[in-house]
Short mmCIF file of all heavy atoms in Angstrom, two decimals:
data_model
loop_
_atom_site.label_atom_id
_atom_site.label_comp_id
_atom_site.label_asym_id
_atom_site.label_seq_id
_atom_site.Cartn_x
_atom_site.Cartn_y
_atom_site.Cartn_z
N SER A 173 -17.53 26.17 -1.37
CA SER A 173 -17.46 24.80 -1.84
C SER A 173 -16.05 24.39 -2.17
O SER A 173 -15.35 25.03 -2.92
CB SER A 173 -18.30 24.59 -3.07
OG SER A 173 -18.21 23.29 -3.59
N GLY A 174 -15.55 23.24 -1.59
CA GLY A 174 -14.21 22.82 -1.93
C GLY A 174 -13.05 23.60 -1.25
O GLY A 174 -11.95 23.33 -1.66
N SER A 175 -13.44 24.46 -0.38
CA SER A 175 -12.38 25.46 0.22
C SER A 175 -12.23 25.10 1.62
O SER A 175 -13.19 24.71 2.36
CB SER A 175 -12.70 26.84 -0.05
OG SER A 175 -11.94 27.70 0.67
N ALA A 176 -11.06 25.42 2.29
CA ALA A 176 -10.82 25.29 3.69
C ALA A 176 -10.62 26.67 4.33
O ALA A 176 -10.25 26.77 5.47
CB ALA A 176 -9.58 24.40 3.97
N ARG A 177 -10.83 27.69 3.55
CA ARG A 177 -10.68 29.09 4.04
C ARG A 177 -11.98 29.52 4.66
O ARG A 177 -13.06 29.48 4.07
CB ARG A 177 -10.23 30.03 2.97
CG ARG A 177 -9.90 31.45 3.52
CD ARG A 177 -9.49 32.35 2.36
NE ARG A 177 -10.52 32.51 1.33
CZ ARG A 177 -11.54 33.36 1.34
NH1 ARG A 177 -11.57 34.22 2.48
NH2 ARG A 177 -12.39 33.55 0.41
N VAL A 178 -11.94 29.93 5.99
CA VAL A 178 -13.11 30.36 6.73
C VAL A 178 -13.64 31.76 6.22
O VAL A 178 -12.77 32.68 6.24
CB VAL A 178 -12.87 30.36 8.22
CG1 VAL A 178 -14.20 30.82 8.95
CG2 VAL A 178 -12.53 28.98 8.69
N ASP A 179 -14.91 31.85 5.89
CA ASP A 179 -15.43 33.13 5.43
C ASP A 179 -15.57 34.12 6.61
O ASP A 179 -15.50 33.77 7.86
CB ASP A 179 -16.80 32.99 4.81
CG ASP A 179 -16.59 32.29 3.47
OD1 ASP A 179 -15.54 32.35 2.90
OD2 ASP A 179 -17.68 31.67 3.00
N LYS A 180 -15.79 35.35 6.31
CA LYS A 180 -15.97 36.40 7.29
C LYS A 180 -17.15 36.13 8.27
O LYS A 180 -16.99 36.30 9.52
CB LYS A 180 -16.31 37.82 6.61
CG LYS A 180 -16.33 38.95 7.55
CD LYS A 180 -16.67 40.27 6.89
CE LYS A 180 -16.86 41.41 7.84
NZ LYS A 180 -17.11 42.73 7.15
N ARG A 181 -18.29 35.64 7.74
CA ARG A 181 -19.45 35.38 8.49
C ARG A 181 -19.05 34.19 9.55
O ARG A 181 -19.49 34.18 10.67
CB ARG A 181 -20.58 34.96 7.65
CG ARG A 181 -21.96 34.64 8.40
CD ARG A 181 -22.48 35.78 9.08
NE ARG A 181 -23.85 35.37 9.61
CZ ARG A 181 -24.54 36.17 10.41
NH1 ARG A 181 -24.00 37.32 10.87
NH2 ARG A 181 -25.75 35.81 10.82
N GLY A 182 -18.34 33.27 9.03
CA GLY A 182 -17.90 32.12 9.82
C GLY A 182 -17.00 32.59 10.97
O GLY A 182 -17.05 32.15 12.10
N LYS A 183 -16.07 33.53 10.74
CA LYS A 183 -15.20 34.03 11.72
C LYS A 183 -16.00 34.76 12.79
O LYS A 183 -15.61 34.77 13.99
CB LYS A 183 -14.16 34.95 11.12
CG LYS A 183 -13.09 34.21 10.28
CD LYS A 183 -12.05 35.18 9.74
CE LYS A 183 -10.99 34.43 9.02
NZ LYS A 183 -9.92 35.33 8.46
N GLU A 184 -17.07 35.40 12.38
CA GLU A 184 -17.84 36.04 13.35
C GLU A 184 -18.48 35.09 14.38
O GLU A 184 -18.53 35.33 15.59
CB GLU A 184 -18.98 36.91 12.75
CG GLU A 184 -18.54 38.10 11.97
CD GLU A 184 -19.62 38.81 11.18
OE1 GLU A 184 -20.72 38.36 11.24
OE2 GLU A 184 -19.31 39.75 10.46
N ALA A 185 -18.92 34.01 13.84
CA ALA A 185 -19.54 32.92 14.74
C ALA A 185 -18.46 32.34 15.62
O ALA A 185 -18.71 32.14 16.84
CB ALA A 185 -20.19 31.81 13.91
N LEU A 186 -17.23 32.13 15.07
CA LEU A 186 -16.22 31.53 15.85
C LEU A 186 -15.77 32.52 16.99
O LEU A 186 -15.39 32.04 18.04
CB LEU A 186 -15.04 31.07 15.00
CG LEU A 186 -15.24 29.95 14.01
CD1 LEU A 186 -14.04 29.75 13.10
CD2 LEU A 186 -15.66 28.67 14.75
#
Side-chain angles (χ1 to χ4, degrees):
S173 178
S175 170
R177 185 178 62 83
V178 178
D179 291 339
K180 179 180 178 181
R181 179 70 169 165
K183 288 184 178 180
E184 292 175 2
L186 294 177

